[in-house]
Amino acid sequence: MAGGVGEAKAPDAEVVAIVNDLKASILEKAQASGYNGLLDKCEVAEVKTQVVAGMNFFVKLLVSDSEAMHVRIYKALPHTKKPPEVTSLKVGLGHADELEYF
């Protein structure tokens, strides 16, 4: 559905690859938001998508045995030739925190 956020699902290879490519940007933004760890563990647990003029990916990342962060990644339409980018994130969450629009 255009504009609405879809249901949570397991990540596919595309999402995992995007997160891996953006790991440095995710860490930089997380540290700017008060996160004081590293991303030694960076496991994509689930993802929700939103169709916009491109695609928003809402990603739950497990960053420790108990801690998670939620990351919103925007992927522009292919004709723009723009790479995916981290647009916002939430740190200090737990594994059980529900992934929601933010």
PDB file of all heavy atoms in Angstrom, residues 1 8 16 21 34 37 70 77:
ATOM      1  N   MET A   1       0.850  -1.177   0.000  1.00  0.00           N
ATOM      2  CA  MET A   1       0.000   0.000   0.000  1.00  0.00           C
ATOM      3  C   MET A   1       0.891   1.234   0.000  1.00  0.00           C
ATOM      4  O   MET A   1       1.753   1.379   0.869  1.00  0.00           O
ATOM      5  CB  MET A   1      -0.903  -0.031   1.233  1.00  0.00           C
ATOM      6  CG  MET A   1      -1.569   1.286   1.488  1.00  0.00           C
ATOM      7  SD  MET A   1      -2.854   1.314   2.757  1.00  0.00           S
ATOM      8  CE  MET A   1      -2.053   0.692   4.183  1.00  0.00           C
ATOM      9  N   ALA A   8       5.790  -6.109   9.875  1.00  0.00           N
ATOM     10  CA  ALA A   8       7.168  -6.540  10.113  1.00  0.00           C
ATOM     11  C   ALA A   8       7.399  -7.885   9.444  1.00  0.00           C
ATOM     12  O   ALA A   8       6.524  -8.753   9.438  1.00  0.00           O
ATOM     13  CB  ALA A   8       7.437  -6.647  11.610  1.00  0.00           C
ATOM     14  N   VAL A  16      19.784  -6.526   4.208  1.00  0.00           N
ATOM     15  CA  VAL A  16      21.028  -6.842   4.912  1.00  0.00           C
ATOM     16  C   VAL A  16      22.214  -6.156   4.220  1.00  0.00           C
ATOM     17  O   VAL A  16      23.076  -5.569   4.880  1.00  0.00           O
ATOM     18  CB  VAL A  16      21.233  -8.369   5.016  1.00  0.00           C
ATOM     19  CG1 VAL A  16      22.618  -8.699   5.551  1.00  0.00           C
ATOM     20  CG2 VAL A  16      20.151  -8.987   5.891  1.00  0.00           C
ATOM     21  N   ASP A  21      26.288  -1.826   4.067  1.00  0.00           N
ATOM     22  CA  ASP A  21      26.909  -0.698   3.369  1.00  0.00           C
ATOM     23  C   ASP A  21      26.839   0.593   4.188  1.00  0.00           C
ATOM     24  O   ASP A  21      27.696   1.471   4.050  1.00  0.00           O
ATOM     25  CB  ASP A  21      26.248  -0.472   2.008  1.00  0.00           C
ATOM     26  CG  ASP A  21      26.593  -1.541   0.993  1.00  0.00           C
ATOM     27  OD1 ASP A  21      27.541  -2.321   1.231  1.00  0.00           O
ATOM     28  OD2 ASP A  21      25.899  -1.608  -0.043  1.00  0.00           O
ATOM     29  N   GLY A  34      23.793   9.745  21.291  1.00  0.00           N
ATOM     30  CA  GLY A  34      24.089   9.321  22.643  1.00  0.00           C
ATOM     31  C   GLY A  34      24.492   7.868  22.813  1.00  0.00           C
ATOM     32  O   GLY A  34      24.803   7.434  23.916  1.00  0.00           O
ATOM     33  N   GLY A  37      28.382   2.759  22.185  1.00  0.00           N
ATOM     34  CA  GLY A  37      28.970   1.477  21.831  1.00  0.00           C
ATOM     35  C   GLY A  37      29.510   1.462  20.412  1.00  0.00           C
ATOM     36  O   GLY A  37      29.559   2.485  19.735  1.00  0.00           O
ATOM     37  N   HIS A  70      16.552   1.123  16.249  1.00  0.00           N
ATOM     38  CA  HIS A  70      15.685   1.151  15.081  1.00  0.00           C
ATOM     39  C   HIS A  70      16.237   2.196  14.134  1.00  0.00           C
ATOM     40  O   HIS A  70      16.534   3.323  14.549  1.00  0.00           O
ATOM     41  CB  HIS A  70      14.250   1.474  15.472  1.00  0.00           C
ATOM     42  CG  HIS A  70      13.627   0.423  16.340  1.00  0.00           C
ATOM     43  ND1 HIS A  70      12.388   0.578  16.897  1.00  0.00           N
ATOM     44  CD2 HIS A  70      14.059  -0.796  16.726  1.00  0.00           C
ATOM     45  CE1 HIS A  70      12.087  -0.507  17.602  1.00  0.00           C
ATOM     46  NE2 HIS A  70      13.096  -1.351  17.519  1.00  0.00           N
ATOM     47  N   LEU A  77      14.287   6.322  -5.760  1.00  0.00           N
ATOM     48  CA  LEU A  77      13.945   5.606  -6.987  1.00  0.00           C
ATOM     49  C   LEU A  77      15.193   5.398  -7.844  1.00  0.00           C
ATOM     50  O   LEU A  77      16.101   6.243  -7.838  1.00  0.00           O
ATOM     51  CB  LEU A  77      12.887   6.380  -7.771  1.00  0.00           C
ATOM     52  CG  LEU A  77      11.521   6.478  -7.086  1.00  0.00           C
ATOM     53  CD1 LEU A  77      10.628   7.471  -7.823  1.00  0.00           C
ATOM     54  CD2 LEU A  77      10.848   5.125  -7.013  1.00  0.00           C
TER      55      LEU A  77
END
